[in-house]
Amino acid sequence: MPQTTPPHDWTEDNLQSLQSHILAEEQAHPEATGDFSWILSAIALATKTIANKVRRARIDDVLGELGETNTHGESQQKLDVIANDIIKACLGARANIGVLVSEEDEEPMVLRTHAEGGRYAVLFDPLDGSSNIDFSVGVGTIFSILRLEDGHAAKGVDAILHDGAQQVAAGYVLFGSSTVFVLTTGNGVDMFVLDQSIGAFVLVKSKLRIPEANSTYSINEANTKQFPQGYRNYLDWAHDSNYTSRYIGSMVADVHRTLLKGGVFLYPPTDAHPKGKLRLMYEANPMSMIIEEAGGRAISDRGRVLDIKPDSLHQRSVVIMGSPEEVAHVERFLDS
Ligand code: P6P
């Protein structure tokens, strides 16, 4: 009698796009108003467009520096401005977004008051790690979503200066060997990959968990002599403990590797950046929410990153994030 295989359970194993996944999540939450899918679909559209620009950068001759600096005096890459404009064009059209905050713009953009439907602020780094694009190294878009209260337009920046624990959603899109969309809405972490043949982000992993431990650290060791002693003691311990070092110099790529393989990513205080280099509101906070939702930890030299009450929109922070056991190893040397 030929062995008959049991019928495939198609209710379990089906093709889910980012859109259908978000709608399914919304159906699971009756109180959801469809706001999220509307915002996330705009971010998906923007990042698909940016992915195409990044992939064609050398062909379209948009590599390299623009020859101008952003509001922080940092040299702007041509693609920084292109990505920033794409995101604003896609998000600005979504009627429930009240405020946009970009690393490339000093002031927040108030699109709508609460009375006009502006319920959310979207904060983003349009193209993090863009100086690596000329060498085809992974770069990414990082975003954070905060809910806005009535009267936000009158309060201006103060309406947005919430601690990271107030984020309602966060994520990043890594433009690497594949285009990967990693998202959390506070109910675990889901990962999607852009399937160019159908033009959609398809779900490849839901409820992603970071490994508890992995003897890998990710830090710019060229700055070692500038680090406070505790970090140098940690590095000595890691070297004596046969740790591996992996550092790409693009936060999205370094954190994505840490999320999938485990380990710890650190950007300690340096002479150039005594409070850390990475931006709290649209780099450290969204990445910390992702790492914590995946079972990891994210701290700074002031405790949990998501508990930091921001003083200004573009403030920087020290970050130490990754596997819980690896963050604990670093913490031990900082506390000693
Ligand atoms: P360093 C890229 O410029 C960036 O903002 C992050 O993506 C990255 O983690 C960090 O700076 C790298 O900084 O000083 O090591 O080159």
Side-chain angles (χ1 to χ4, degrees):
M1 185 67 166
Q3 175 69 23
T4 54
T5 51
H8 191 88
D9 178 359
W10 293 108
T11 61
E12 285 302 314
D13 177 13
N14 52 25
L15 177 63
Q16 278 236 31
S17 71
L18 174 62
Q19 306 296 58
S20 61
H21 184 74
I22 295 162
L23 290 172
E25 291 268 300
E26 277 186 12
Q27 284 167 3
H29 298 85
E31 75 284 0
T33 62
D35 274 345
F36 269 1
S37 58
W38 199 219
I39 294 174
L40 291 170
S41 73
I43 294 174
L45 175 62
T47 50
K48 281 190 266 190
T49 309
I50 294 169
N52 184 49
K53 291 289 184 186
V54 167
R55 202 173 35 258
R56 292 184 50 83
R58 194 167 288 280
I59 298 168
D60 295 346
D61 189 23
V62 290
L63 287 174
E65 297 185 351
L66 184 62
E68 294 177 23
T69 58
N70 64 16
T71 54
H72 318 295
E74 296 159 342
S75 167
Q76 277 184 308
Q77 303 293 312
K78 292 173 188 169
L79 275 170
D80 283 328
V81 175
I82 291 170
N84 198 36
D85 291 346
I86 288 169
I87 293 176
K88 291 192 284 190
C90 292
L91 289 177
R94 301 294 156 124
N96 55 4
I97 297 176
V99 180
L100 294 179
V101 173
S102 169
E103 179 181 49
E104 298 302 323
D105 303 311
E106 180 63 30
E107 298 302 326
M109 284 148 278
V110 178
L111 303 176
R112 297 168 189 85
T113 64
H114 202 269
E116 292 163 337
R119 294 286 187 276
Y120 295 91
V122 182
L123 303 86
F124 54 92
D125 181 353
L127 205 57
D128 179 73
S130 55
S131 56
N132 292 299
I133 284 180
D134 296 15
F135 328 112
S136 297
V137 170
V139 295
T141 296
I142 312 172
F143 63 90
S144 166
I145 302 178
L146 291 168
R147 193 170 276 114
L148 290 168
E149 304 307 325
D150 193 1
H152 71 79
K155 291 178 193 157
V157 172
D158 290 346
I160 310 163
L161 293 180
H162 299 304
D163 54 85
Q166 304 298 316
Q167 293 173 106
V168 290
Y172 60 82
V173 180
L174 172 61
F175 308 110
S177 52
S178 59
T179 300
V180 185
F181 195 121
V182 175
L183 168 69
T184 181
T185 57
N187 183 27
V189 176
D190 299 317
M191 181 163 77
F192 305 80
V193 171
L194 180 60
D195 182 336
Q196 304 276 9
S197 61
I198 59 174
F201 282 108
V202 296
L203 180 69
V204 293
K205 185 76 179 166
S206 55
K207 303 296 179 266
L208 195 152
R209 304 294 290 172
I210 189 170
E212 284 293 313
N214 180 347
S215 50
T216 301
Y217 65 84
S218 182
I219 192 171
N220 185 340
E221 290 198 73
N223 300 325
T224 300
K225 289 188 177 173
Q226 302 172 35
F227 296 154
Q229 190 57 48
Y231 295 94
R232 281 185 269 168
N233 295 342
Y234 163 74
L235 286 174
D236 289 343
W237 171 83
H239 296 153
D240 295 343
S241 307
N242 299 315
Y243 267 55
T244 299
S245 169
R246 288 287 181 274
Y247 193 69
I248 300 167
S250 177
M251 184 188 196
V252 176
D254 280 317
V255 173
H256 186 62
R257 180 200 58 250
T258 304
L259 175 66
L260 296 188
K261 289 178 64 72
V264 60
F265 169 77
L266 311 87
Y267 205 103
T270 62
D271 297 348
H273 300 294
K275 294 185 178 176
K277 176 180 184 184
L278 301 171
R279 307 284 183 179
L280 176 64
M281 299 299 288
Y282 40 78
E283 290 175 337
N285 276 345
M287 289 310 210
S288 297
M289 183 178 182
I290 291 273
I291 291 290
E292 286 199 2
E293 281 289 323
R297 290 186 63 208
I299 62 174
S300 73
D301 49 357
R302 300 164 52 189
R304 184 178 176 240
V305 170
L306 295 182
D307 290 338
I308 297 174
K309 182 75 180 84
D311 305 313
S312 64
L313 211 45
H314 299 289
Q315 76 182 59
R316 300 175 190 268
S317 173
V318 166
V319 296
I320 302 158
M321 59 173 69
S323 300
E325 289 185 25
E326 302 307 330
V327 172
H329 286 315
V330 178
E331 203 171 28
R332 197 170 71 229
F333 289 95
L334 301 189
D335 294 344
S336 54

